Amino acid sequence: YHLTNLILHIMSTLLLFWFLNRMTSEVWKSAFVAAFFALHPLHVESVAWVAERKDVLSAFFWMLTLCFYVYYTERPSAKRYLPVIFSFILALMSKPMVVTLPVILILLDYWPLSRCPDGMERGNFQWISWQLKEKMPLLILSAIFSLMAYLAQRLPAVIDFPFESRIINALISYAIYLRKTFWPYDLAAFYPFDVNIALWHLWGAALLIIFITAIVIVLAKRFPFLFVGWFWFALTILPVIGIIQVGKQAMADRYTYLPLIGIGVMLAWEVPRLFKQNIHKKIIFFAGIFFILILAVASWRQCGYWKNSIELFSHALRVTKNNYLAHNNLGLALFNEGKTEEAINQYNESLSITPLVMDHVVAYNNRGIAYSRLGIYQRALADLNKAIAMKSDYADAYGNRGVIYSNLGQNQLAFEDFNKAIQLQPDFADLYNNRGVAYYKLGFYQSAVEDFSKAVSLNPYYADAYYKRAVIYLEQGNTELGCRDALKACDLGNCAILKSAQSKGGCR
């Protein structure tokens, strides 16, 4: 999976170089932008995190769309326009963040393509009207996918931050993204939302954004690359800047994956212009190489933090404050390593700093599981009860509480919780496996077999369910089915029942 992400990232880099060079005939400037995109530390998250496949996949189709568009502009026709639409649809299906692409095409028509029908002035109302008409199929697609994304990502478990807080956070985030572009330090997998932002931070960020925007607009005719580069950055990051809330994060490194191309364009075309009279071209060239090498070293270091969850979230805690989610996720990673008491300490930290009540739910559930592993069942039940009280449809908490009730011999309560959990999440294999264990303890073997069978039908690689079903079959004397399940469990890493059966002459 990591290799596939890397291949997609490399292919996007090559496509980026191709279409920039094709539009501008500036080989080295195009190469700088491509290298800036390929090696910036802010892009490590998109490539190193397997679950962010949607980032690298949507970026690949984004670049492909731009390449097809450049090809289309060289000799416009419906035949050449269709691949633009098709690749844009693929990009939208990968990740809706690319909805801004039609506007980026308009910017590229302004510069460097300078597309303008005879008798029109580039940038006036008539030109914009012509652009909107040409881009209408793409704009309609963007509107449809924007609505779909908004409806799909409204999470009832996430409490909305106040609208004014989201506006403030958006302005601050723009400024922080710019700072991390040039000083990629203290990068984290999760940045907690801060509702208490100092007034001077807000005004500083707002003035910076207003100042840059005003400058590029004033200089748009003389230096159109500044105008295009800045609005590429500002517009492509707009869907995820946080005004419309998706998730609990204030910002995220992955959101810069496409927007930073705009900053790269500004640097590639503006720096040589500023120094062309005073500094030899070779000096600028080697300075650019040195800058890219610094980014490469920083990216290499950032990749190291993605080695495992413990390293990733420990680093996040070192570089952020009040990071309740990093504490919770670090606790989960420690729990999976068998370090239960250390995990509980992390859950305690998470619960002590969580800003919103709803955010306690997962931490209470996880701490309840950890207490259960230590045999401290009353504390475990107290935590799971709190989680369920906060979120009445929390299937995991019902399932975990059911396991504890089963261990305590409170079978009626256990089955009530298992049934409730399965009702809420009928496609979760663990719930059927756990209920099967409870049936087995009570001697309801047929019901247990049915639950274990349901578990393996939902997850064909569920070794524990095969193992437990094999136990029942062998105890009932059904050697054929028992040995078959025992072999399957062994293939998946659990050979205990197979070895036991073989020692008794049951399976050969």
Side-chain angles (χ1 to χ4, degrees):
Y1 294 102
H2 288 112
L3 181 60
T4 307
N5 277 12
L6 183 61
I7 290 171
L8 286 168
H9 181 61
I10 292 170
M11 292 175 68
S12 294
T13 300
L14 296 174
L15 290 174
L16 173 60
F17 169 76
W18 184 90
F19 84 77
L20 281 176
N21 183 50
R22 184 86 170 206
M23 289 190 300
T24 65
S25 298
E26 295 278 4
V27 175
W28 292 111
K29 292 176 182 178
S30 301
F32 174 85
V33 177
F36 184 77
F37 169 79
L39 296 172
H40 201 287
L42 281 171
H43 294 172
V44 168
E45 180 173 281
S46 294
V47 183
W49 187 9
V50 167
E52 272 308 299
R53 168 66 53 79
K54 56 190 175 183
D55 254 17
V56 291
L57 191 62
S58 64
F60 170 74
F61 288 121
W62 167 289
M63 303 300 180
L64 196 62
T65 303
L66 292 179
C67 290
F68 281 131
Y69 183 73
V70 172
Y71 180 67
Y72 159 77
T73 60
E74 293 172 351
R75 197 168 64 214
S77 67
K79 184 178 179 180
R80 292 191 174 203
Y81 197 64
L82 286 176
V84 176
I85 296 175
F86 180 68
S87 55
F88 181 47
I89 291 172
L90 295 179
L92 287 167
M93 291 171 67
S94 303
K95 187 175 185 180
M97 181 182 168
V98 300
V99 293
T100 56
L101 194 146
V103 182
I104 300 304
L105 297 182
I106 296 174
L107 288 175
L108 295 178
D109 279 347
Y110 184 79
W111 180 90
L113 293 172
S114 300
R115 294 183 66 222
C116 189
D118 294 337
M120 287 188 191
E121 182 181 350
R122 188 178 49 160
N124 64 13
F125 178 79
Q126 189 180 11
W127 182 83
I128 294 174
S129 178
W130 169 71
Q131 284 284 343
L132 293 176
K133 183 179 179 181
E134 183 185 56
K135 309 298 187 298
M136 188 56 64
L138 305 177
L139 291 168
I140 291 172
L141 286 170
S142 288
I144 292 171
F145 275 83
S146 295
L147 179 60
M148 290 170 61
Y150 175 77
L151 295 176
Q153 297 190 36
R154 291 298 298 164
L155 302 176
V158 177
I159 293 181
D160 284 333
F161 295 107
F163 182 71
E164 59 273 19
S165 295
R166 284 180 270 149
I167 294 292
I168 292 170
N169 178 72
L171 291 171
I172 296 291
S173 295
Y174 267 118
I176 294 176
Y177 282 134
L178 286 174
R179 176 175 64 81
K180 289 183 180 293
T181 298
F182 297 101
W183 185 250
Y185 189 67
D186 288 354
L187 306 184
F190 180 81
Y191 300 96
F193 197 103
D194 187 1
V195 294
N196 300 310
I197 296 175
L199 191 61
W200 70 271
H201 279 169
L202 169 62
W203 282 109
L207 290 174
L208 175 65
I209 302 306
I210 292 170
F211 175 75
I212 296 175
T213 304
I215 289 294
V216 299
I217 290 175
V218 170
L219 298 176
K221 288 189 176 180
R222 291 179 59 197
F223 311 117
F225 46 83
L226 293 178
F227 177 85
V228 170
W230 173 249
F231 280 100
W232 178 309
F233 168 77
L235 293 175
T236 52
I237 211 168
L238 185 62
V240 290
I241 200 64
I243 296 175
I244 297 175
Q245 185 183 343
V246 178
K248 306 172 187 178
Q249 69 280 347
M251 53 182 289
D253 294 351
R254 60 188 178 275
Y255 293 158
T256 68
Y257 193 58
L258 288 170
L260 279 200
I261 295 171
I263 303 299
V265 168
M266 295 175 75
L267 291 173
W269 268 263
E270 178 62 10
V271 171
R273 186 195 68 80
L274 285 176
F275 296 102
K276 65 180 180 180
Q277 294 180 348
N278 302 319
I279 299 179
H280 196 275
K281 287 184 178 180
K282 288 185 178 180
I283 297 178
I284 297 176
F285 173 80
F286 285 113
I289 293 292
F290 182 69
F291 179 64
I292 294 298
L293 285 175
I294 292 175
L295 293 180
V297 171
S299 291
W300 179 268
R301 183 182 181 189
Q302 187 65 21
C303 284
Y305 299 130
W306 286 84
K307 180 180 179 180
N308 54 57
S309 294
I310 292 177
E311 182 67 31
L312 181 66
F313 293 110
S314 295
H315 173 70
L317 290 173
R318 289 194 296 269
V319 300
T320 60
K321 296 179 180 178
N322 298 325
N323 200 330
Y324 63 92
L325 187 137
H327 277 296
N328 181 72
N329 288 2
L330 177 58
L332 185 59
L334 291 168
F335 178 83
N336 290 334
E337 293 285 328
K339 301 175 181 178
T340 308
E341 293 182 357
E342 293 180 43
I344 290 173
N345 291 335
Q346 292 300 321
Y347 298 142
N348 292 340
E349 290 289 338
S350 178
L351 290 167
S352 70
I353 61 176
T354 301
L356 296 173
V357 173
M358 188 57 71
D359 292 327
H360 286 83
V361 172
V362 176
Y364 275 125
N365 178 69
N366 290 346
R367 193 173 69 176
I369 297 170
Y371 279 135
S372 176
R373 175 184 280 181
L374 295 177
I376 310 175
Y377 292 126
Q378 292 309 312
R379 284 193 179 183
L381 287 172
D383 276 349
L384 293 170
N385 289 337
K386 288 178 183 177
I388 291 170
M390 292 177 187
K391 191 173 186 294
S392 60
D393 60 348
Y394 197 1
D396 281 356
Y398 281 109
N400 293 326
R401 192 173 67 176
V403 171
I404 295 174
Y405 282 141
S406 178
N407 291 336
L408 293 174
Q410 300 179 34
N411 299 312
Q412 183 61 37
L413 292 175
F415 282 113
E416 287 178 6
D417 275 352
F418 287 139
N419 293 336
K420 179 67 174 178
I422 289 172
Q423 178 187 348
L424 292 169
Q425 200 169 353
D427 58 348
F428 190 27
D430 282 356
L431 296 175
Y432 293 97
N433 183 66
N434 291 340
R435 191 175 67 176
V437 172
Y439 276 131
Y440 174 73
K441 288 180 179 179
L442 294 175
F444 300 139
Y445 297 129
Q446 185 56 39
S447 296
V449 166
E450 290 175 2
D451 273 352
F452 294 140
S453 298
K454 181 65 175 179
V456 298
S457 71
L458 291 170
N459 179 6
Y461 305 102
Y462 203 155
D464 194 48
Y466 285 113
Y467 171 87
K468 288 167 181 170
R469 193 171 66 175
V471 169
I472 295 176
Y473 283 144
L474 291 171
E475 287 181 355
Q476 293 178 333
N478 192 335
T479 306
E480 180 182 354
L481 293 180
C483 291
R484 184 190 65 185
D485 277 354
L487 286 168
K488 185 66 176 177
C490 189
D491 288 341
L492 295 171
N494 189 342
C495 294
I497 187 62
L498 179 62
K499 290 178 180 178
S500 175
Q502 287 174 336
S503 67
K504 297 176 183 178
C507 296
R508 295 196 177 105

